[in-house]
Amino acid sequence: MKKSVVIVEDDRGLREQIVQILETARDIKCLGAFASAEEALPQIVAKNPDVVLMDIKLPKMSGIQCVAEIKRFCPRCKSSW
């Protein structure tokens, strides 16, 4: 069974590279790649991925704040630092 992943990274080049790498893995499906926490948060809540690769230093809402919001909307989501 494939693991679903969402990427949140403001550096466009790095974000695209991560997507390309994940697309080569047979057991991973990338559900989306977003440039900001504000853009990603509703999609993460809606798509409920297995894993979120989160940049910590994002403009406006930080990755840490976004993870806190994810936990608020999806209390059963597990997180590790």
Side-chain angles (χ1 to χ4, degrees):
M1 186 166 159
K2 289 187 175 190
K3 293 288 184 182
S4 57
V5 178
V6 168
I7 301 157
V8 185
E9 168 59 59
D10 61 331
D11 182 306
R12 181 179 177 188
L14 179 56
R15 186 174 62 248
E16 290 174 356
Q17 286 178 341
I18 294 169
V19 169
Q20 287 177 346
I21 291 167
L22 293 178
E23 287 177 346
T24 66
R26 285 184 260 156
D27 57 347
I28 295 175
K29 179 177 180 164
C30 185
L31 299 179
F34 304 96
S36 70
E38 294 82 5
E39 179 185 10
L41 186 58
Q43 295 300 316
I44 292 168
V45 172
K47 294 180 180 191
N48 194 27
D50 296 309
V51 177
V52 177
L53 298 177
M54 179 74 66
D55 183 1
I56 298 299
K57 293 184 179 180
L58 294 167
K60 298 184 183 177
M61 182 188 296
S62 74
I64 294 170
Q65 291 169 312
C66 187
V67 169
E69 289 296 304
I70 293 168
K71 295 296 284 181
R72 189 166 74 99
F73 289 109
C74 302
R76 294 187 309 171
C77 293
K78 295 181 180 178
S79 62
S80 61
W81 303 91

